[in-house]
Amino acid sequence: MSSKGAPAELLVQTHTSDSESSCSSTPQLAAEEEKTLQLPPLKSLIKLTTAAWFVLGWMLFVGKDRLTGASDAGGVTAVLYWQAQIITTVGYGDLCPASNDRRLMVAFYVLVGNVIAGVGVMDYLTSMLAQGAEETKKGMLSKALAKSVAATGGGSAAPPQEAPAKARAMRGPPPLVKALVGFLAMILVGTVFFSFADYCICDDFDACDVILPFGETQGCLDLGGTPRSVTQAFYMSVITLTTVGFGDDVPGNWVGRLFATVWMMVGVASMGYYLGQIAKAVTSNYVKSSVSTGMSEETFRMIDADNTAPCQRTNT
């Protein structure tokens, strides 16, 4: 019977000589596939172009009146804060070019930044998808091998992926849960900071660009501002880290901008990591379901990357 479409049969691997191999994939193809998935040159290029993009922005826009035409927007802190909005695609809109020549320069600068960010995100998600598929395939092959050994009287050796319950507990929660906790923690950090540290909302940035004592709402009112509530801070954190960036609630002083520069990039990265873990879990589930009724010869060829032995069919 052909190996295709045989739901009651499973192709597994037996430890015999390489000379008898008849349905294993070639080591050359496995090596080429591994190189394709890792893409080290692309990762290095992304890091290099990102660094160059930041340096170029400092050269072009750091200096009085060189970004928006306002004196407060030309400092290093302001430009870094503005660059963080671009690379994370948050785009609050509180720092914008004020003339057509600046708008043209910024337009090209933003295009380059978004291409860099897009390539980085796609490279990361692709690596997560590939990693999820590879780990699932290896796990399924290991289980199949263990069943084959037990069925042929070789004992009941457990696959290496199946660690004891105690060892699994020591590893802690699954990566997806860790990623979610990390993302929620970044939202919490932003909520606390913008509730009690940078908590004064003013229409005029210069009017509130002072460091007020921790939680002193009266000082904010004396400056003509409005104290930011916990609800507003939570809303701002979620809108920022999901890269929506409405712009109706933004940092109110230079300390807030400095904090937001780091917080935006780390927080958006944590959201990307969380989404990557979701993609990895979905891919793993898809791979498992696609071979749950039986492993075809083509699938076996894909996961038998080390070319160690032939395969045979055992009833399950």
Side-chain angles (χ1 to χ4, degrees):
M1 181 183 294
S2 170
S3 61
K4 295 181 180 180
E9 297 177 339
L10 184 65
L11 289 173
V12 299
Q13 198 173 26
T14 58
H15 296 283
T16 58
S17 63
D18 292 341
S19 59
E20 298 175 358
S21 179
S22 60
C23 60
S24 299
S25 60
T26 62
Q28 293 83 358
L29 291 176
E32 290 179 3
E33 181 181 1
E34 184 178 357
K35 290 180 181 179
T36 302
L37 296 178
Q38 291 179 353
L39 293 175
L42 179 58
K43 293 183 185 299
S44 300
L45 182 62
I46 291 172
K47 294 177 182 178
L48 180 62
T49 53
T50 301
W53 181 82
F54 272 97
V55 172
L56 177 62
W58 301 335
M59 294 173 62
L60 291 175
F61 302 110
V62 171
K64 185 177 179 181
D65 303 339
R66 295 179 69 178
L67 179 59
T68 68
S71 58
D72 67 289
V76 175
T77 301
V79 173
L80 275 172
Y81 165 71
W82 178 72
Q83 288 175 310
Q85 292 188 52
I86 296 173
I87 204 70
T88 60
T89 70
V90 170
Y92 282 140
D94 52 343
L95 291 179
C96 303
S99 61
N100 285 334
D101 58 339
R102 293 191 184 97
R103 290 187 182 115
L104 185 62
M105 184 184 302
V106 168
F108 283 107
Y109 186 73
V110 170
L111 283 174
V112 174
N114 276 263
V115 168
I116 295 172
V119 172
V121 169
M122 291 306 299
D123 177 66
Y124 170 70
L125 291 178
T126 301
S127 66
M128 285 292 99
L129 293 173
Q131 184 179 344
E134 185 67 19
E135 290 177 358
T136 303
K137 291 173 184 178
K138 288 182 178 179
M140 296 182 70
L141 178 58
S142 180
K143 292 179 181 179
L145 285 170
K147 290 181 180 179
S148 176
V149 171
T152 56
S156 57
Q161 283 78 5
E162 290 189 354
K166 184 178 180 180
R168 289 198 298 269
M170 291 178 62
R171 288 198 298 264
L176 180 59
V177 176
K178 293 180 181 179
L180 175 59
V181 171
F183 176 55
L184 294 178
M186 293 306 302
I187 292 178
L188 178 62
V189 168
T191 301
V192 171
F193 181 86
F194 290 109
S195 296
F196 301 103
D198 179 13
Y199 56 86
C200 194
I201 305 173
C202 293
D203 293 333
D204 183 6
F205 178 84
D206 290 332
C208 291
D209 189 17
V210 295
I211 302 176
L212 296 171
F214 187 78
E216 186 181 309
T217 57
Q218 186 58 47
C220 177
L221 295 173
D222 292 342
L223 294 172
T226 303
R228 184 184 286 113
S229 67
V230 175
T231 300
Q232 287 175 299
F234 173 75
Y235 161 82
M236 176 183 175
S237 299
V238 172
I239 295 302
T240 299
L241 298 191
T242 55
T243 73
V244 174
F246 286 137
D248 53 340
D249 210 342
V250 299
N253 57 43
W254 70 269
V255 175
R257 286 181 174 180
L258 186 61
F259 167 82
T261 299
V262 179
W263 174 69
M264 274 191 290
M265 291 190 285
V266 176
V268 171
S270 71
M271 185 192 71
Y273 179 69
Y274 173 54
L275 294 178
Q277 291 301 319
I278 293 177
K280 183 178 176 180
V282 170
T283 302
S284 177
N285 183 68
Y286 173 78
V287 172
K288 289 179 180 178
S289 63
S290 66
V291 296
S292 60
T293 57
M295 188 182 298
S296 67
E297 182 173 339
E298 287 78 11
T299 302
F300 187 86
R301 289 177 184 274
M302 291 174 62
I303 62 179
D304 180 26
D306 54 3
N307 193 30
T308 56
C311 56
Q312 69 179 23
R313 218 176 269 119
T314 62
N315 293 329
T316 58

